[in-house]
């Protein structure tokens, strides 16, 4: 640092760590500080945390596959054969035969010409929109999209793309924006199932708009893949939508698939463009090949998993029926709200941050892990419990959670 630069620092400036601590104190006072919970057990239906047994409603393991013996065996066998790590990025020497096998299986499973795997859904989303939307392009994104899609949108903006966010699922506004745009390339970006509300995007209508206005439709199916549609093929299959050249599908492999990573499925041209230009693909070490071995087995289990999906949707219905009865009976003592979600994500909107935190802690004390979700993840004043359901949950788990919530509602929490 030059002497000139040194003179700009105020002699009474607080140490950097003190500044950070002040910011942390402000987060804590607003009920917004995050903390780890360390599990002393595998992350299944019942978990152990701090020496306590809890029923886990905080997981995205929607089909209960994360501990499935066949996946564990496939990963162990893969590690024995292919080693612990890939050793390099995909475009160096890190693209092993299991990666190629998984990509071919994902393309076949989703019905697209090609698929490309990533180490996480965040990296996959950071790849697609910024790679396809440079100067002269226009991005139209649902306001409730996942943080990774928002960050991808911001990256595209720094590259010269025009970015507009339309009100959640507002097709009329989106069409007005598309009609007014003179961009040479247009991208519509949406979640399939929205991660904090659990509702489903109007994908058929969005695809119709993409066709009408010559746009790409990018669909993040993180919470639909493995759960929705025939044989768990996802939200596009749920709506019987074909693998249209305008469609670009992103799916995560650490939720219903039970392992980790993500993929993008699309046309030959889109996948080749990502391989050549997507920075979060080119400059990242490839995932361990043993994960790809496990995921090939996971696809087989998903395809044959109708019984698991039936169990999951039974638990969803039981919870929603019970919560509606609870809210009707407790209308005078609590103002909780249950949005219209038919997915494995069931939000119970509480309102204030501190109320959501207190409710989550009270459930914890009763043996149920249900996380409190607060701003900026959700809008101010809509802090909530996010109840995540799994095929591994039992009817007794749902009954117990409802009884605990009923007791807390009667206390006016």
């Amino acid at each position: 640092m030059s002497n000139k630069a040194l003179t700009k620092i105020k002699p009474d400036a607080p140490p950097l760590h003190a500044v950070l601590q002040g910011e942390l104190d402000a987060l804590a006072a607003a009920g917004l500080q995050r903390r780890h919970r360390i599990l002393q057990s595998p992350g299944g239906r019942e978990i152990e945390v701090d020496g306590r047994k809890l029923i886990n409603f905080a997981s995205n393991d929607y089909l209960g596959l994360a501990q499935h013996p066949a996946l564990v065996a496939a990963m162990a066998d893969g590690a024995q054969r292919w080693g612990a790590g890939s050793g390099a990025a995909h475009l160096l020497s890190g693209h092993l035969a299991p990666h190629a096998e998984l990509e071919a299986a994902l393309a076949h499973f989703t019905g697209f010409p090609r698929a490309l795997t990533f180490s996480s859904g965040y990296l996959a989303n950071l790849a697609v929109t910024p790679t396809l939307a440079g100067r002269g392009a226009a991005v139209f994104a649902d306001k409730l999209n996942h943080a990774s899609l928002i960050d991808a949108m911001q990256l595209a903006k720094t590259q010269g793309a025009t970015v507009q966010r339309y009100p959640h699922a507002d097709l009329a506004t989106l069409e007005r924006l598309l009609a007014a745009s003179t961009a040479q390339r247009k991208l519509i970006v949406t979640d399939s199932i929205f991660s904090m509300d659990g509702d489903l995007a109007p994908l058929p209508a969005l695809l119709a708009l993409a066709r009408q206005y010559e746009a790409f439709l990018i669909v993040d199916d993180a919470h639909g893949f493995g759960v929705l549609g025939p044989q768990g093929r996802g939200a596009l299959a749920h709506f019987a939508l074909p693998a249209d050249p305008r469609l670009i599908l992103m799916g995560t492999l650490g939720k219903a698939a039970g392992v980790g990573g993500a993929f993008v499925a699309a046309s030959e041209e889109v996948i080749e463009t990502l391989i050549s230009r997507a920075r979060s693909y080119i400059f990242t070490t490839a995932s361990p090949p043993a994960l790809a071995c496990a995921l090939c087995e996971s696809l087989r289990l998903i395809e044959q998993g109708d019984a698991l999906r039936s169990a999951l949707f039974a638990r969803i219905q039981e919870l929603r029926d019970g919560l509606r009865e609870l809210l009707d009976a407790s209308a005078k003592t609590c103002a909780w709200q249950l949005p219209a979600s038919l997915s494995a994500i069931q939000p119970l909107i509480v309102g204030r941050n501190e109320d959501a935190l207190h409710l989550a802690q009270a459930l914890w004390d009763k043996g149920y892990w249900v996380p409190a979700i607060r701003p900026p993840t959700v809008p101010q004043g809509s802090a909530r419990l996010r109840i995540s359901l799994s095929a591994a949950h039992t009817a007794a788990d749902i009954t117990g959670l409802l009884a605990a919530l009923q007791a807390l509602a009667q206390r006016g929490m």
Side-chain angles (χ1 to χ4, degrees):
M1 185 181 290
S2 67
N3 289 334
K4 183 177 181 181
L6 285 170
T7 60
K8 294 181 181 179
I9 299 175
K10 295 180 181 180
D12 58 345
L16 290 177
H17 288 82
V19 174
L20 291 176
Q21 187 58 56
E23 293 171 355
L24 289 171
D25 291 343
L27 284 174
L32 295 176
Q33 190 170 8
R34 271 71 173 165
R35 297 188 183 278
H36 283 119
R37 297 279 198 179
I38 301 174
L39 277 66
Q40 285 86 39
S41 67
R45 164 191 162 269
E46 186 178 65
I47 53 176
E48 183 176 347
V49 185
D50 299 331
R52 295 192 60 213
K53 299 284 188 181
L54 298 158
I55 301 299
N56 184 8
F57 287 100
S59 170
N60 294 327
D61 183 19
Y62 299 131
L63 299 182
L65 295 182
Q67 313 303 322
H68 196 288
L71 296 193
V72 174
M75 186 176 291
D77 291 345
Q80 287 289 340
R81 181 177 179 188
W82 298 99
S86 63
H90 283 281
L91 296 180
L92 293 175
S93 62
H95 195 67
L96 284 73
H99 296 125
E101 181 183 353
L102 174 61
E103 289 175 352
L106 285 163
H108 177 75
F109 188 77
T110 58
F112 282 85
R114 292 278 300 277
L116 191 67
T117 54
F118 289 79
S119 297
S120 73
Y122 216 110
L123 289 176
N125 278 337
L126 291 185
V128 178
T129 300
T131 299
L132 297 178
R135 188 169 300 280
V139 179
F140 306 90
D142 192 293
K143 279 194 173 181
L144 294 188
N145 279 346
H146 186 264
S148 58
L149 292 172
I150 294 171
D151 287 355
M153 178 184 71
Q154 293 298 100
L155 279 175
K157 191 174 182 179
T158 65
Q159 297 172 177
T162 299
V163 171
Q164 294 177 287
R165 298 174 72 185
Y166 59 90
H168 179 49
D170 187 335
L171 296 171
T173 297
L174 173 59
E175 182 167 12
R176 285 198 297 271
L177 295 174
L178 287 165
S181 174
T182 59
Q184 295 180 342
R185 180 178 294 173
K186 303 180 182 72
L187 292 82
I188 303 168
V189 183
T190 185
D191 280 313
S192 62
I193 293 175
F194 290 86
S195 60
M196 293 300 132
D197 291 84
D199 59 326
L200 191 57
L203 295 182
L206 290 173
L207 181 57
L209 288 176
R211 288 169 173 162
Q212 181 179 351
Y213 292 97
E214 286 297 319
F216 282 115
L217 173 58
I218 300 170
V219 178
D220 180 337
D221 199 26
H223 301 279
F225 181 77
V227 175
L228 295 180
Q231 298 175 308
R233 295 179 192 273
L236 299 180
H238 170 78
F239 287 113
L241 296 178
D244 191 290
R246 296 168 184 80
L247 277 168
I248 301 171
L249 174 69
M250 195 288 290
T252 54
L253 299 168
K255 295 181 174 65
V259 184
F263 69 92
V264 174
S267 67
E268 182 87 22
E269 295 82 1
V270 167
I271 296 301
E272 286 297 327
T273 299
L274 294 177
I275 291 172
S276 295
R277 294 182 49 211
R279 294 172 65 85
S280 63
Y281 178 80
I282 296 168
F283 300 110
T284 302
T285 298
S287 296
L291 268 67
C293 296
L295 284 163
C296 286
E297 177 64 17
S298 176
L299 286 181
R300 185 186 69 82
L301 295 174
I302 289 172
E303 190 171 26
Q304 299 175 2
D306 285 348
L308 294 175
R309 283 181 286 277
S310 294
L312 171 61
F313 284 106
R315 300 293 89 77
I316 293 169
Q317 192 63 53
E318 289 161 4
L319 179 70
R320 289 192 63 82
D321 289 347
L323 284 175
R324 280 194 290 262
E325 290 181 13
L326 188 159
L327 295 180
D328 288 344
S330 307
K332 295 181 179 180
T333 57
C334 73
W336 302 342
Q337 299 175 42
L338 179 67
S341 165
L342 298 179
S343 74
I345 300 166
Q346 293 295 320
L348 184 63
I349 298 177
V350 177
R352 299 191 309 165
N353 295 347
E354 54 268 37
D355 291 341
L357 287 170
H358 290 157
L359 186 57
Q361 183 60 52
L363 287 172
W364 179 278
D365 294 340
K366 290 177 177 291
Y368 298 95
W369 188 356
V370 185
I373 307 296
R374 297 150 286 160
T377 309
V378 295
Q380 290 286 345
S382 70
R384 65 197 65 188
L385 298 185
R386 182 180 185 269
I387 307 170
S388 294
L389 298 177
S390 168
H393 286 127
T394 66
D397 294 335
I398 304 301
T399 301
L401 176 63
L402 289 168
L405 283 167
Q406 182 177 25
L408 295 170
Q410 290 172 346
R411 288 167 45 188
M413 289 194 72

